[in-house]
Amino acid sequence: TIFFPPNDQGQKIKALEGQFKDDLLEGPVFEYNEQGALVAETPFHQGKKEGTAKVFGPNGKVSATIAFVSDQR
């Protein structure tokens, strides 16, 4: 988990969250904005983007999807 620098209230807000296997990203990686809202979810396999990434709008609903195969759109 990676955090933004603490805000004015001293709170740490998540920026990225994901898992590693053998030093490579594996599974979904979640990206958050500075308010802590989810903005993207991207699947990884052996350190490469693999599958359908989702981009979320301000209302929390999926606003776009991007298909990846071996790190390529």
Side-chain angles (χ1 to χ4, degrees):
T1 303
I2 298 171
F3 293 91
F4 287 107
N7 61 19
D8 293 339
Q9 293 78 35
Q11 299 168 316
K12 290 186 350 180
I13 306 292
K14 250 188 274 190
L16 291 170
E17 179 179 30
Q19 300 290 320
F20 286 85
K21 181 178 179 184
D22 299 325
D23 293 328
L24 299 172
L25 282 168
E26 187 67 39
V29 172
F30 303 96
E31 182 179 346
Y32 301 89
N33 64 20
E34 290 185 10
Q35 288 73 44
L38 181 64
V39 294
E41 176 183 338
T42 306
F44 280 79
H45 181 65
Q46 296 179 346
K48 295 182 179 181
K49 294 174 188 168
E50 187 72 46
T52 302
K54 299 174 190 169
V55 179
F56 297 92
N59 62 1
K61 294 184 179 180
V62 175
S63 64
T65 58
I66 304 166
F68 287 96
V69 177
S70 194
D71 227 21
Q72 301 292 317
R73 291 173 87 171

